[in-house]
Structures are given as C-alpha cells and as structure tokens.
C-alpha cells in the first residue's frame, strides 16, 4: 500500500466541527455500519465538506475521523484516572460522544495496535472503514467516480473469498456461488483468531502525552500570532500618528511664515552663514533634533525659540528648508527633487552664439610621478560634464604620461619648478574654477606650492574644490581655506575622520555622521563639506542634505576624482547662476555639491549595470553624457 500523503495537513477547529457534523449524520452512520467497503461514503463526506467551503480529499477525511476516534477512546479511558480532564486529550469529546454513543462500543486495541503504521492495518477498525480501502487497493477494483451522488441507503457489497476444499490428497480452489455460502465456508475453514489483550498498554500513555503537547503547541502558536498582529497594528498606528504630526508641523511653519512676511517692517535680509549655524547646528545644546520626524522641546532656560523667531524674520526661506529637512524621508525626497531642479537651472544652455571657454575653464592642481590617473580623471570629467577647457598643472615627469591619456587636456609641467606659483598664477585670470589635490602627493614642496596657489585663487574669488592630498594639506594647515565661502571639501570617511580629529582634538562620534559633518563645517567657517559614503552628506553648517540616488556596491579607485572634477564645473555654474539671481534660497556650493554627488552615483549605477564587478572609473566616465542628460536635461 502506498504511503499516505495526507499526513501533516492541519485542520482548523471550524473545519473539524463541520466534518464531524457531516460524519455524524444518520445516513452516513448507517452506511458505515452496513458496509465493509466505504470509500464511496467518504467521497460523499468530502463532497459535502467541499460544498460548505472546505476542500478536503476523501482520504484526508478518513484519516482525520480515525485520529479523532483514537483521541476519543484515549479520553474515555483516561476519564476514570484523570479526574475528568478528558478535554485536554480530545477537544471534540462531546461531539464524538454524541455521535458514537448510539454505535457499538469501539475496541481500543483495534485502534491502537496500528501505532505508527495505521495505514497498513486499517482493516482492524471496528466498522471496516479502513479495511475496505486496503481491500480495494489490493484487488485493483474500480471505485465509484468522484461526482457520483450518494443515496441515503447504501448498498451492501459481498466480498468474494476463494475457499480451499480438500478432496482426498488433492486440493482445488472452489469459488462459492453466493455470498452466504462464502461466509459459511470462511467461518468453517478459517475461524477468527481471538485478539490478545494486553494487561498494560504503554502506547496509550505516550499518545496522551503527544496529544497534550500538540494541543499546547497549537495554543502557543495562536497566542504568538495574535501578539504579532497586535504589535503590527500598533506600529502602523504609530507611523500614521507621526505622519499626521509632521504634516501639522509643516502647515504651522508655512502659516507662520505667511503671517510674518506682511508684518515685517524691513525687507528680509540673509544672515551670514555662521549666524545660521549657531542656531541650527546639531552641536548647539540649546536646540537639538531628536528622532526622525520629532523635534525636542528646548529647555525653559534656553532662548532657542527667540533665536528661531529672529531668524524667521531675517531668512524665512532658509528656515523652511531646514525644517523641511527634519521631517523625515518623504520630505527629504521632496528636498532632493528641489535640489535637482536648482541644478537644472544652473546648467547653461547649448547655443551657437557662445565662444570657446564661456561655459567654463577649469584648472586641476595635481599629478606627480606616482599618481597620473587621478588628475586625468578629474580633468576629463570636467570636460565631459560641460567645461570648454581643462588645464592640468602637474610635475614634469607626469606631464607626458597625462598628455598621452587624452589630447583634449592642456597639460602644464610646472608644479615642481622653482617658480611654479608664478607660472600657475599667470593662468588664474583665465580659470573659472580650481580643483586642488588629485594625484598631488605629499611632498613638502608640492604642498607648499598648492598652498600658495590656493591663496592666489582666493584673492580672485573663484570656487576651489579640495580633494585627496589637498585635504592632507588642510589637515596640517586648516587656515589655508578656513572661512572661504566658495571653498568645498570632498573627503571620504578616513579623510573626514582625520580632519575632524585634527580640528576638534578629540575622537569623532561615529554614531551621528550628520552631526559630525555639520560640526566640521562650522569649525571650518561654514565651508561646504561633501562627505562621500553610503549616502553622500552635503552641508554648509546650517543644514545637511543627503544624496540617496542609488549607486552600486562597486568601489574602485578614481570615483572621487570624477566627483571633484565635475564639482569644479558645477560650482562655477552655480555661483554664476547665484550672481544672476537664479539661486536665492540655497548656498550655491550646496547645490553644486548635490549635483556632483547625484551625477557620480548615476554614472556608477549605469556602468555597473553593464560591467558588474569589472566596473572601473573609465567605464563610469563613458556614462557621464547619458547620466547628465537623464538627471539634468530630462
């Protein structure tokens, strides 16, 4: 007989009670009592159960009924010993008692002898319910079709059994002519062997324990599931309440702004960035921000509310932007969209009336014998983003190598010459932006030249992006760029940690990067800082913006040079747009920083989709055109 495939199918209480109600009907019980073969009876039970919405096979119904009868017998015997706690063994004891009380008494040994092999000895059950299945499978006899309706009176089917009749020394099988003759011969030739009753039955106790443990496990599972659902409901209610709270705060802020503007006697003017940082910096203990979507109330001893009110009168747009940043991920997504639109407004149009160099001439200070790739990546990225000319000021031994990478670059081998500062200074009037550090190296004379060039560039008031070895110079001498509002630092995590600890003389707290990056910006005189990482953080000391555009898990050398080169061009465009009045509510360096981060991440994502693990910075540079169009020209 094949293994029963219906074991392990769980029955709910409602489904089990429905099955018992159908099985306990008078016509079903009469059919089971009067027939040895009863597979068609359980087909009818399965059909009626399906009509009530529970899909179960006849075999599943039969096995479930057999299991319930076994539990009922155990509970009935245990009733005398367990002080009436029979419901712990058989949950449906009352229903089974009502159905089986009118039937002949069941023999427990007939149900228990099967043990683990209940399907193999199904013929031992008192009413022949399981024996008929074994018989039909052994004889290969056809069964009734599943869709056959079962009548109230089920016909009895005789069992033809061949009987061996002995005549002399020869024995020949003779098939009886009718069922009565077969039954008579069966009685005379093969008497029923009496069953051996055991005095003690260890399987009964084991079955009791098993059923009790199963019931306990089921109850525990339902309790845990109910607790989980309740916790899920509480979480959703909390999220909904937080969203409503944030929307209310946003409405109050905009209403307060609209009511403040008409009543102000003077025209609102922007305050200096350091003043804003003193109010909104995370380092300030008087007014801090807590978990996302919630603002901590200032203590009564502080004057945070007064400071914020004064700032509202001076620069309401900046206040809205800062509060907008603190309202959670949905609001931050809106901020990123606004930043993207600001970057788009700074991109100069491509028209035929322009002359060469009008859209940007960028200088790269870097490139020595050991590092020739970094200045090339920065310079070629600036060209591909949209600069018209890209100059590389490098050492003599690096010039030929860098020039061989691309004929589009203008290479000046003057960085290690005795009069390097004078040579570079002659080109500064022609440059719109400067990138200091890619491939510069850490030789003292090269760092001194870079420092002097930065001082000359500050005098000309052009944007200066400091990256890589240029950040090493700033770590040693922060004053070289401190307080210069068009200065932009682009550290990775290690460079940022080194610079932070050099300025604050204490170990950085890695638990709150937004707070740390704002503190570093304030310490540097509200310079724009772009902290590269899993999510790039851009701040000018008054607010923090994170660039969450999806990149990739690939981190190859040169990606930071792509960012610094493109940032040199975008910084020139952003400050030019700010001078023309196109950007009023945002620091132009912040806009440029976000645009460079978004572009680098988009290039990384597109290159990774094509090359996967083998992605290099050269592959990313090839994606600059399509990525720029997708982000800023669509």
């Amino acid at each position: 007989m094949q293994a029963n495939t219906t074991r392990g199918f769980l029955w709910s209480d409602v489904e089990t009670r429905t099955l018992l109600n159908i099985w306990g009907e008078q016509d079903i019980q009469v059919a089971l009592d009067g027939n040895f073969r009863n597979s068609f009876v359980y087909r009818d039970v399965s059909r009626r159960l399906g009509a009530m919405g529970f899909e179960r096979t006849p075999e599943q119904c039969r096995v479930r009924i057999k299991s319930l009868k076994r539990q009922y017998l155990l509970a009935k015997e245990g009733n005398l010993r367990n002080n009436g706690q029979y419901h712990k063994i058989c949950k449906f004891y009352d229903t089974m008692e009502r159905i089986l009380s009118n039937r002949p008494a069941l023999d427990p040994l007939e149900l228990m002898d099967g043990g683990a092999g209940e399907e193999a000895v199904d013929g031992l059950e008192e009413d022949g319910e399981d024996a008929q299945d074994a018989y039909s499978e052994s004889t290969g006899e056809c069964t009734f079709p599943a869709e056959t309706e079962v009548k109230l009176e089920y016909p009895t089917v005789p069992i033809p059994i061949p009987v061996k009749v002995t005549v002399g020394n020869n024995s020949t099988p003779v098939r009886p002519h009718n069922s009565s003759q077969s039954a008579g011969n069966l009685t005379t030739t093969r008497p029923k062997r009496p069953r051996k009753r055991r005095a003690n039955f260890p399987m009964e106790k084991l079955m009791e324990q098993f059923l009790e443990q199963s019931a306990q496990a089921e109850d525990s599972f339902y309790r845990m599931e109910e607790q989980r659902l309740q916790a899920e409901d509480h979480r959703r209610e909390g999220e909904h309440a937080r969203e409503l709270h944030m929307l209310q705060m946003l409405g109050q802020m905009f209403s307060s702004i609209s009511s403040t503007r008409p009543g102000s006697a003077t025209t609102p003017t922007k305050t200096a960035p350091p003043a804003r940082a003193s109010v909104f910096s995370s380092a300030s203990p008087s007014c801090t921000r807590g978990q996302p979507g919630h603002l901590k109330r200032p203590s009564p001893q502080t004057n945070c509310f007064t400071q914020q009110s004064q700032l509202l009168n001076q620069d309401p747009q900046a206040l809205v932007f800062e509060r907008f940043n603190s309202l959670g991920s949905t609001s931050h997504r809106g901020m990123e969209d606004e930043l993207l639109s600001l970057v788009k407004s700074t991109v100069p149009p491509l028209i035929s009336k322009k002359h060469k160099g009008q859209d940007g001439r960028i200088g790269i200070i870097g490139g020595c014998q050991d590092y020739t790739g970094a200045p090339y990546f920065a310079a070629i990225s600036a060209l591909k983003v949209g600069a018209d000319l890209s100059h590389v000021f490098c050492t003599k031994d690096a010039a030929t190598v860098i020039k061989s990478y691309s004929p589009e670059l203008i290479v000046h081998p003057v960085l290690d010459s005795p009069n390097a500062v004078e040579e570079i200074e002659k080109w500064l009037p022609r440059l719109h932006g400067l990138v200091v550090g890619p491939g510069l190296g850490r030789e003292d004379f090269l760092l001194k030249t870079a420092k002097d060039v930065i001082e000359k560039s500050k005098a000309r008031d052009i944007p200066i992006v400091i990256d890589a070895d240029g950040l090493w110079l700033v770590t040693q001498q922060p004053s070289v760029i401190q307080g210069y509002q068009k200065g932009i630092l682009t550290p990775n995590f290690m460079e940022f940690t080194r610079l932070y600890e050099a300025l604050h003389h204490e170990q950085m707290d890695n638990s709150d990067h937004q707070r740390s990056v704002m503190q570093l910006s304030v310490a540097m005189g509200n310079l724009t800082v772009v902290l590269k990482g899993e999510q790039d953080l851009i701040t000018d000391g008054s607010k923090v913006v994170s660039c969450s555009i999806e990149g990739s898990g690939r981190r190859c050398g040169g990606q930071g040079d792509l960012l610094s080169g493109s940032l040199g061009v975008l910084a020139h465009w952003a400050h030019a747009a700010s001078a023309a009045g196109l950007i009023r509510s945002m620091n132009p360096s912040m806009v440029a920083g976000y645009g460079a981060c978004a572009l680098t991440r988009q290039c990384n994502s597109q290159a990774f989709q094509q090359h996967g693990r083998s992605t290099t910075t050269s592959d990313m540079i090839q994606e600059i055109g399509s990525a720029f169009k997708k982000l800023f020209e669509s």
Side-chain angles (χ1 to χ4, degrees):
M1 184 174 181
Q2 295 181 355
N4 187 2
T5 60
T6 62
R7 281 191 171 188
F9 284 26
L10 298 179
W11 288 69
S12 64
D13 291 350
V14 176
E15 195 174 6
T16 302
R17 293 188 187 279
T18 306
L19 174 68
L20 288 176
N21 291 335
I22 296 173
W23 180 70
E25 293 178 4
Q26 184 66 26
D27 57 334
I28 297 294
Q29 293 297 312
V30 171
L32 291 175
D33 289 337
N35 291 277
F36 186 75
R37 293 169 53 205
N38 50 37
S39 61
F40 56 93
V41 180
Y42 279 103
R43 280 198 299 273
D44 185 44
V45 172
S46 174
R47 181 186 58 79
R48 297 186 189 182
L49 194 63
M52 302 186 73
F54 303 104
E55 295 296 330
R56 292 287 180 174
T57 64
E59 181 66 6
Q60 290 175 339
C61 297
R62 184 187 66 79
V63 171
R64 181 59 173 164
I65 290 296
K66 184 174 181 179
S67 175
L68 292 172
K69 287 197 289 187
R70 183 177 289 112
Q71 295 177 20
Y72 167 77
L73 285 178
L74 289 175
K76 195 173 185 64
E77 288 189 356
N79 187 21
L80 301 177
R81 303 189 303 272
N82 297 333
N83 298 324
Q85 300 297 323
Y86 47 86
H87 284 97
K88 291 185 177 179
I89 300 176
C90 182
K91 183 184 295 187
F92 308 96
Y93 182 90
D94 296 334
T95 305
M96 296 292 295
E97 177 72 14
R98 175 177 55 80
I99 297 173
L100 298 178
S101 59
N102 299 325
R103 297 189 60 182
L106 301 178
D107 187 358
L109 293 179
E110 292 182 358
L111 292 175
M112 294 300 179
D113 284 346
E118 66 183 30
E119 283 79 23
V121 291
D122 288 339
L124 300 180
E125 207 158 30
E126 85 289 354
D127 54 6
E129 293 173 18
D130 301 314
Q132 79 68 225
D133 290 336
Y135 177 79
S136 62
E137 288 181 10
S138 62
T139 58
E141 208 170 53
C142 295
T143 59
F144 289 86
E147 64 274 6
T148 304
E149 295 288 338
V150 179
K151 299 180 180 179
L152 293 179
E153 297 183 5
Y154 298 94
T156 59
V157 180
I159 306 174
I161 303 177
V163 181
K164 185 179 294 185
V165 181
T166 304
V167 180
N169 294 330
N170 298 326
S171 60
T172 57
V174 179
R175 185 174 297 276
H177 295 287
N178 53 54
S179 60
S180 60
Q181 181 180 354
S182 299
N185 292 338
L186 179 61
T187 305
T188 56
T189 58
R190 187 175 297 177
K192 184 177 181 180
R193 183 173 57 185
R195 289 192 174 277
K196 183 188 297 183
R197 295 186 175 272
R198 303 176 186 177
N200 55 348
F201 192 73
M203 182 63 73
E204 177 182 354
K205 187 174 182 179
L206 293 176
M207 185 62 70
E208 281 186 37
Q209 296 176 355
F210 171 75
L211 292 174
E212 289 180 0
Q213 293 174 358
S214 300
Q216 293 174 0
E218 185 177 0
D219 293 339
S220 177
F221 169 77
Y222 285 125
R223 284 196 302 269
M224 292 178 62
E225 186 68 13
E226 184 177 0
Q227 293 174 0
R228 186 188 68 80
L229 293 175
Q230 291 177 354
E232 184 71 15
D233 292 339
H234 290 324
R235 184 186 65 80
R236 291 177 180 173
E237 291 176 358
E239 290 181 354
H240 182 65
R242 284 195 296 271
E243 290 175 358
L244 290 178
H245 179 65
M246 289 188 291
L247 291 174
Q248 290 174 358
M249 290 178 59
L250 189 61
Q252 292 174 0
M253 285 185 294
F254 278 107
S255 62
S256 62
I257 291 170
S258 60
S259 62
T260 303
R261 279 184 174 177
S264 58
T266 59
T267 303
T269 57
K270 292 187 179 180
T271 60
R276 289 211 306 269
S278 64
V279 177
F280 292 105
S281 171
S282 296
S284 174
S286 61
C287 184
T288 58
R289 189 174 62 196
Q291 298 179 354
H294 297 278
L295 297 177
K296 295 182 180 178
R297 292 182 179 272
S299 61
Q301 293 78 12
T302 63
N303 199 21
C304 180
F305 180 79
T306 304
Q307 293 175 347
Q308 291 182 6
S309 300
Q310 295 173 355
L311 183 62
L312 178 64
N313 294 331
Q314 295 175 349
D315 193 357
Q317 292 181 347
L319 177 61
V320 172
F321 206 87
E322 167 64 18
R323 290 304 193 192
F324 194 57
N325 183 30
S326 66
L327 291 181
S329 59
T330 304
S331 298
H332 189 74
R333 180 66 260 175
M335 178 188 290
E336 292 197 57
D337 293 339
E338 181 178 346
L339 281 169
L340 279 177
S341 64
L342 288 175
V343 176
K344 292 179 182 180
S345 67
T346 66
V347 176
L350 298 176
I351 55 178
S352 59
K353 295 181 179 181
K354 291 184 178 180
H355 56 79
K356 181 177 63 176
Q358 190 171 347
D359 281 343
R361 298 182 291 270
I362 307 301
I364 311 296
I365 308 296
C368 61
Q369 183 178 5
D370 296 330
Y371 304 108
T372 59
Y376 162 73
F377 287 142
I380 199 68
S381 298
L383 279 180
K384 286 186 173 291
V385 167
D388 292 339
L389 296 172
S390 188
H391 297 258
V392 179
F393 300 90
C394 60
T395 61
K396 293 180 180 179
D397 48 10
T400 304
V401 180
I402 296 174
K403 188 67 176 178
S404 67
Y405 292 152
S406 174
E408 287 90 356
L409 305 182
I410 303 172
V411 183
H412 306 271
V414 298
L415 199 56
D416 55 349
S417 62
N419 58 340
V421 178
E422 291 77 7
E423 292 291 335
I424 298 174
E425 187 179 7
K426 292 187 297 187
W427 291 92
L428 289 181
R430 307 183 185 182
L431 300 181
H432 296 117
L434 199 67
V435 180
V436 180
L440 179 63
R442 297 181 181 178
E443 297 291 339
D444 291 338
F445 68 94
L446 294 177
L447 293 177
K448 184 179 184 306
T449 301
K451 175 185 176 182
D452 294 339
V453 171
I454 292 174
E455 294 291 346
K456 300 290 185 182
S457 302
K458 287 163 57 178
R460 303 200 64 85
D461 196 35
I462 62 175
I464 303 174
V465 179
I466 299 182
D467 185 36
D469 294 325
L471 293 170
W472 176 264
L473 170 63
V474 175
T475 303
Q476 307 302 318
Q477 305 178 52
S479 60
V480 69
I481 195 67
Q482 193 170 21
Y484 183 60
Q485 295 305 303
K486 291 187 178 181
I488 305 174
L489 307 182
T490 59
N492 57 28
F493 182 75
M494 293 302 298
E495 294 165 341
F496 175 79
T497 304
R498 188 163 53 236
L499 184 56
Y500 181 93
E501 294 177 354
L503 287 171
H504 292 84
H505 305 288
E506 63 180 7
Q507 189 173 3
M508 186 182 70
D509 181 12
N510 291 324
S511 62
D512 191 351
H513 289 169
Q514 291 194 8
R515 177 185 177 90
S516 299
V517 74
M518 287 185 69
Q519 289 177 338
L520 177 62
S521 175
V522 173
M524 290 297 298
N526 288 86
L527 258 68
T528 299
V529 178
V530 178
L531 175 57
K532 298 174 287 190
E534 181 180 1
Q535 282 193 346
D536 299 331
L537 300 179
I538 307 102
T539 182
D540 60 356
S542 63
K543 48 187 159 289
V544 178
V545 177
S546 65
C547 182
S548 59
I549 293 179
E550 184 178 0
S552 77
R554 176 68 168 137
R555 293 293 182 270
C556 56
Q559 296 184 70
D561 303 312
L562 189 157
L563 186 145
S564 61
S566 59
L567 180 54
V569 183
L570 293 174
H572 162 56
W573 291 349
H575 282 281
S578 178
L582 299 178
I583 301 178
R584 297 181 179 179
S585 61
M586 178 64 65
N587 187 337
S589 296
M590 288 272 291
V591 176
Y594 181 83
C597 292
L599 180 63
T600 304
R601 286 174 169 271
Q602 185 65 32
C603 291
N604 192 351
S605 175
Q606 293 181 191
F608 187 78
Q609 291 177 6
Q610 298 185 32
H611 305 281
R613 187 174 293 274
S614 65
T615 302
T616 62
T617 303
S618 298
D619 300 323
M620 294 173 57
I621 290 174
Q622 298 302 319
E623 300 295 328
I624 289 179
S626 59
F628 189 95
K629 183 176 181 180
K630 180 177 181 180
L631 289 174
F632 309 131
E633 295 179 343
S634 59

